[in-house]
């Protein structure tokens, strides 16, 4: 791993955590899974307890994009907590980060938030040990809440999935468990440039961190007022002409189930697979579970352009079938785009992203998506600086916004999709 | 009508509009409706064109309230525009308001926004005349957008219903059509105290008006920071333990359909009825349509209490089966409460509202809900001032908030329900 200036103590801790445990992840046939089966009536892939999550069908109706179409989708109704504790050490803000293994992760171990727990986990409905540090986020003794919103996750693969993103400041002494480490913002921003290190949940919460403060730009305002941006977004939602709903997985045409996978006919989207996980650390028992395995590395890129001297990101009103409100603010270009289908025209500005020169590339890192649900799902995140060749006037689904404006919107739910939040975290690391 | 200080020119205009037209609304059997029928397969009440709206079934599953239950619900997927134009005359802000007839209205005529149009209306997919003043809200020539958000409507009677609430400022001359009148904020605030005059759509948009400015309270801050309020709301959402979905109306037990109505067994919620509308004004043709007729006048009340000298409203995380995100900020007490069922305990603080003395009542007016979908649906809106007898510490579903905080939240969707927005408009009129 190219540590790119990350501090030595962190590197040493990470090496130790890497040696401390590993997962052996094996792809298995569906019928070797324990507790998981296809429901006789619906064909949905469900757990015998009715808990965890299920793989069901998603049907999209109407719209000028692909018309009516279906796909499998992961349904996990409950809200988990993704929380980062922050604390100043000698005036320097630090985040308490966790080294966490997930079966779908590239490298198994990635950097996670202080707390990353489903509701079933943290309410301990099925027993189990208490979630570490949870008391700092919930209940009477918690710290100062700096951010607390429900944020969406991949609307291409999840149905209405959201997690509670929290940032909590503490002033008291909070000793790190061996899986946890206090990390300075300076280290964290360097880590964001390392492939497959900072996991999706961390990036999502980092987008809401109160540091670094936005630079003061008193004389150069944003190209559009925040009111204009909100109006643009509302207008885009009213143009949305499709609806989506869950259907039985058995009723999803064009996808075939074999012993080891559910795959689309064209084979260019994703597989649903089953894995057996065996942990090198004896304390963690093994288990089996389904995972969604995308066929290709995704792409998420914001164009960045100075307007009146102020850097602006080109936001897009992105349509995703699994988002609760169907449309959220997305990167300028994002692939895969389920609503576009496979044979439509190339998305606007893809040529600009793909044709960028080395000088134009401000950020370019391949990062992993949620390793608890996705198998080796990776996205290439890019910030591409452009000039006058990309005009200030853009098509109706696009709007030039500042980092400050996106930061303000990420203080609420239903605005930035998870890829836009990752890129907002990355933009703030520059 | 007790005009309570409203200016003479307005009264004269209103009298003229009242004489200019009337609706004759007659209840008819369902089978005398034209274009409307019950679908053979689903039992849903639908229009032959597939447009307008439909009456379908709603099923709620889980939850500690009523468990699993069903009811009819109005389904109208498209977003309309509710827009108010504002303009300064001699430095005094005015709103362009409309005298508009709706079949379900008490008094037929009520005060509406400048524009109140469904998307089918204003995009003129079926021909018809252009919507007056719409160009000020949409397209290149529009004025300065001061507010533009999608806001929910009654989650007890509608499925995922939202309308686009807009406030647009103009500086140029905009002559009022005979159905329209420029109304000063001073007149408008007096009108809010008159029973059944300012319609629901107006009140919803008035909640977003930029005037009057909030009083400056430099030394006395809100009891909770806005961040705390957002965190309280997020926490309340994560406790939500029920789900809702549309089902065929034929599959809704406990409700019976007769020739002239669909009614619940207990007869204490609402009827779905059919009406024939004949207009006194020959220019408007007659039509037939279904309406939802509640059995009783509703109640929506905020408790108001000074904390540290600053007035606070007691907000509640309100659960409504038809809301897209299930939970929105609601008045302290709101009846009917579909999720509570008919035989549960009285809602918290209802005794305080009902036991209020004359001195405690800051606002008390009976106002109508949407007369295009509801028949004589009225709600008693109240602001009740309380003292130390209502503690600062309140149950988890409640939170003390300031008017300024609610104003900030109403700048986004998914926060305040329509009854809370009406009361916010009323609170700002004091």
């Amino acid at each position: 791993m190219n540590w790119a200036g990350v501090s030595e103590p962190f590197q040493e801790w990470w090496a130790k955590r890497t040696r401390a445990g590993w997962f052996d992840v094996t792809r298995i046939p569906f019928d070797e899974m324990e507790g998981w089966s296809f429901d006789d009536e619906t064909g949905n892939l469900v757990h015998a307890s009715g808990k965890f999550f299920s793989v069901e069908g998603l049907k999209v109706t109407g719209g000028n994009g692909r018309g009516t179409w279906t796909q499998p989708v992961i349904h996990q109704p409950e809200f988990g907590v993704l929380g980062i504790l922050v604390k100043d050490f000698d005036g320097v803000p630090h985040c308490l980060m966790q080294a966490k293994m997930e079966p779908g992760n590239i490298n198994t171990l990635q950097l996670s938030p202080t707390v990353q727990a489903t509701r079933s986990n943290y309410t301990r409905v099925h027993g189990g040990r208490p979630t570490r540090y949870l008391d700092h986020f919930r209940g009477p003794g918690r710290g100062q809440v700096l951010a607390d919103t429900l944020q969406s996750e991949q609307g291409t693969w999840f149905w209405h999935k959201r997690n509670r993103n929290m940032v909590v400041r503490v002033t008291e002494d909070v000793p790190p468990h061996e899986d946890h480490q206090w990390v300075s913002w300076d280290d964290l921003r360097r880590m964001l440039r390392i492939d497959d290190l900072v996991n999706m949940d961390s990036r999502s919460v980092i987008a809401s961190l109160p540091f670094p403060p936005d630079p003061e730009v008193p004389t150069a305002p944003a190209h559009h007022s925040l009111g204009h941006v909100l109006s643009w977004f509302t207008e885009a939602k009213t143009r949305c002409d499709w609806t989506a709903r869950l259907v039985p997985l058995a009723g999803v045409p064009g996808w075939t189930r074999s012993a080891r996978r559910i795959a689309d006919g064209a084979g260019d989207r994703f597989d649903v697979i089953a894995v057996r996980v065996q942990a090198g650390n004896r304390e963690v028992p093994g288990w089996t579970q389904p995972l969604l395995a995308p066929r290709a590395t995704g792409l998420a890129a914001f164009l960045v352009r100075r307007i009146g001297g102020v850097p602006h990101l080109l936001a897009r009103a992105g349509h995703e079938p699994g988002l609760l409100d169907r449309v959220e603010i997305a990167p300028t270009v994002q692939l895969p785009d389920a609503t576009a289908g496979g044979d439509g025209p190339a998305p606007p500005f893809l040529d600009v992203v793909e044709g960028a020169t080395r000088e134009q590339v401000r950020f370019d890192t391949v990062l992993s998506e949620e390793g608890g649900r996705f198998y080796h799902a990776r996205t290439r995140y890019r910030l591409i600086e452009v000039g006058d060749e990309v005009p200030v006037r853009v098509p109706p689904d696009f709007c030039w916004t500042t980092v400050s404006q996106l930061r303000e919107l990420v203080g609420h739910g239903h605005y930035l999709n998870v890829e836009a939040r990752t890129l907002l975290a990355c933009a703030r690391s520059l």
Side-chain angles (χ1 to χ4, degrees), chain A residues 149 151 226 229-230 232-233 329 401 403-416:
Chain A
T149 52
Q151 300 287 357
L226 186 64
V229 174
L230 292 175
W232 159 77
F233 185 55
I329 294 174
T401 59
V403 168
S404 305
Q405 287 173 337
L406 295 184
R407 274 197 68 181
E408 179 149 354
L409 294 181
V410 88
H412 305 279
H414 302 289
Y415 281 118
L416 269 69

Side-chain angles (χ1 to χ4, degrees), chain A residues 373-401:
Chain A
R373 298 291 173 268
F374 308 133
Y375 183 76
H376 291 191
R378 308 172 84 206
T379 306
R380 185 173 182 183
Y381 286 97
R382 309 187 84 188
L383 296 169
I384 306 294
E385 186 146 12
V386 296
D388 293 353
E389 73 277 11
V390 177
V392 169
R393 266 188 86 94
V394 283
D397 274 343
F398 295 84
C399 183
W400 289 105
T401 59

Side-chain angles (χ1 to χ4, degrees), chain A residues 140-430:
Chain A
R142 71 176 182 175
Q144 183 196 2
V145 177
L146 303 178
D148 184 0
T149 52
L150 290 177
Q151 300 287 357
S152 68
E153 296 179 6
Q154 282 79 3
T156 308
W157 299 326
F158 281 124
W159 175 252
H160 292 186
K161 171 86 181 289
R162 287 181 295 167
N163 270 318
R164 187 173 179 181
N165 283 229
M166 299 186 77
V167 178
V168 166
R169 186 192 297 281
V170 290
T171 50
E172 71 269 31
D173 193 33
V174 178
H177 176 264
E178 61 180 2
D179 284 334
H180 286 71
Q181 180 87 336
W182 285 106
V183 177
S184 71
W185 168 246
D186 221 42
D187 264 357
L188 205 49
R189 55 193 284 274
R190 290 193 181 100
M191 291 174 198
L192 280 167
R193 305 191 83 105
I194 299 174
D195 285 355
D196 302 305
L197 176 57
V198 179
N199 83 352
M200 180 184 95
D201 296 343
S202 295
R203 291 168 346 236
S204 175
V205 182
I206 288 170
S208 299
L209 284 181
F211 44 80
D214 285 330
E216 300 279 346
V217 198
T219 53
H223 180 63
H224 297 298
S225 68
L226 186 64
H228 177 99
V229 174
L230 292 175
S231 182
W232 159 77
F233 185 55
T234 300
E235 171 78 34
K237 282 192 183 185
T238 66
R239 285 196 305 270
C240 183
D241 57 356
W242 53 266
T243 56
R245 61 190 170 89
L246 288 179
V247 294
L249 184 57
V252 167
W255 292 72
T256 51
R257 187 176 112 200
S258 56
R260 289 175 168 268
R261 61 182 187 137
I262 302 168
D264 60 318
D268 58 2
R269 294 197 61 201
F270 59 81
D271 293 344
V272 177
I273 62 170
V275 297
R276 177 180 304 283
V277 186
Q278 280 169 310
N281 181 332
R282 297 280 172 83
E283 290 171 22
V284 184
W287 72 90
T288 60
Q289 71 166 85
L291 287 170
L292 187 153
R295 286 297 181 93
T297 297
L299 170 69
F302 268 123
L303 299 191
V304 186
R305 190 198 141 154
R306 284 180 186 271
I307 304 176
V310 179
H312 282 72
L313 306 180
L314 186 54
R316 181 174 56 89
H319 293 227
E320 296 177 25
L323 293 177
L324 178 62
D325 210 4
R326 299 182 294 167
V327 182
E328 290 190 4
I329 294 174
T332 316
V333 176
Q334 184 180 316
L335 298 173
D337 177 358
T339 60
D343 48 2
F349 304 110
L350 177 61
D351 55 336
V352 181
V353 172
E354 291 186 334
T357 63
R358 178 187 291 260
E359 288 70 34
Q360 286 183 282
V361 178
R362 301 288 309 279
F363 185 92
D364 190 357
T365 306
V366 177
L367 297 166
S368 291
E369 311 305 337
E370 167 61 295
R373 298 291 173 268
F374 308 133
Y375 183 76
H376 291 191
R378 308 172 84 206
T379 306
R380 185 173 182 183
Y381 286 97
R382 309 187 84 188
L383 296 169
I384 306 294
E385 186 146 12
V386 296
D388 293 353
E389 73 277 11
V390 177
V392 169
R393 266 188 86 94
V394 283
D397 274 343
F398 295 84
C399 183
W400 289 105
T401 59
T402 65
V403 168
S404 305
Q405 287 173 337
L406 295 184
R407 274 197 68 181
E408 179 149 354
L409 294 181
V410 88
H412 305 279
H414 302 289
Y415 281 118
L416 269 69
N417 78 353
V418 65
E419 292 84 1
R421 297 200 305 280
T422 281
L423 280 170
L424 180 61
C426 299
R428 297 182 62 212
S429 78
L430 296 179

Side-chain angles (χ1 to χ4, degrees), chain A residues 84-161:
Chain A
I84 292 183
L85 276 190
V86 302
K87 185 184 171 178
D88 284 0
F89 290 88
D90 298 327
V92 177
H94 284 63
C95 296
L96 187 60
M97 303 302 290
Q98 182 183 180
K100 190 170 166 66
M101 297 192 292
E102 297 282 8
N105 276 354
I106 300 275
N107 302 333
T108 306
L109 201 67
Q110 294 196 8
L111 197 66
S112 301
T114 317
V115 167
Q116 177 181 324
T118 65
R119 192 171 164 83
S120 296
N121 274 160
Y122 73 70
T123 56
R124 301 169 67 199
V125 281
H126 310 296
R129 67 171 169 79
T131 303
R132 276 191 197 95
Y133 303 110
L134 186 69
D135 290 347
H136 292 287
F137 295 91
R138 302 186 77 237
R142 71 176 182 175
Q144 183 196 2
V145 177
L146 303 178
D148 184 0
T149 52
L150 290 177
Q151 300 287 357
S152 68
E153 296 179 6
Q154 282 79 3
T156 308
W157 299 326
F158 281 124
W159 175 252
H160 292 186
K161 171 86 181 289

Side-chain angles (χ1 to χ4, degrees), chain A residues 36-52:
Chain A
W36 292 88
S37 61
F38 292 96
D39 182 81
D40 285 342
E41 196 177 329
T42 61
N44 293 342
L45 182 51
V46 296
H47 192 263
S49 67
K51 297 286 173 185
F52 304 109

